[in-house]
């Protein structure tokens, strides 16, 4: 299992958190997703994580990943 952490500064509320967790959770290989609104970080755990697919899922939720 591997872990990936992405910075997503636009998240501000519980709805943002639920939207991102829901979309990223649909990506193949993702076992868990945790959003920290205070630090603006999304931590993803799973097998064979596809960064591009995860970034696309965050985009689908309406947010932008920052390097």
């Amino acid at each position: 299992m591997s872990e990936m952490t992405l910075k997503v500064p636009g998240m501000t509320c519980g709805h943002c958190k639920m939207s991102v967790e829901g979309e990223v959770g649909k990506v193949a290989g993702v076992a868990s997703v945790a959003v920290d609104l205070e630090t603006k970080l999304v931590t993803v755990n799973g097998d064979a994580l596809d960064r591009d697919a995860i970034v696309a899922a965050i985009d689908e939720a309406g947010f932008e990943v920052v390097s």
Side-chain angles (χ1 to χ4, degrees), residues 4-67:
M4 180 184 307
T5 302
L6 302 166
K7 182 84 170 170
V8 185
M11 303 179 301
T12 59
C13 65
H15 184 265
C16 299
K17 176 178 162 60
M18 287 178 17
S19 294
V20 170
E21 288 176 344
E23 288 298 324
V24 174
K26 296 177 189 175
V27 176
V30 172
S32 67
V33 184
V35 172
D36 185 329
L37 293 174
E38 200 169 298
T39 62
K40 310 295 186 196
L41 295 176
V42 177
T43 303
V44 183
N45 289 288
D47 294 318
L49 296 176
D50 180 346
R51 186 181 194 282
D52 290 338
I54 292 168
V55 169
I58 292 170
D59 184 60
E60 182 67 27
F63 301 95
E64 184 178 350
V65 174
V66 177
S67 308

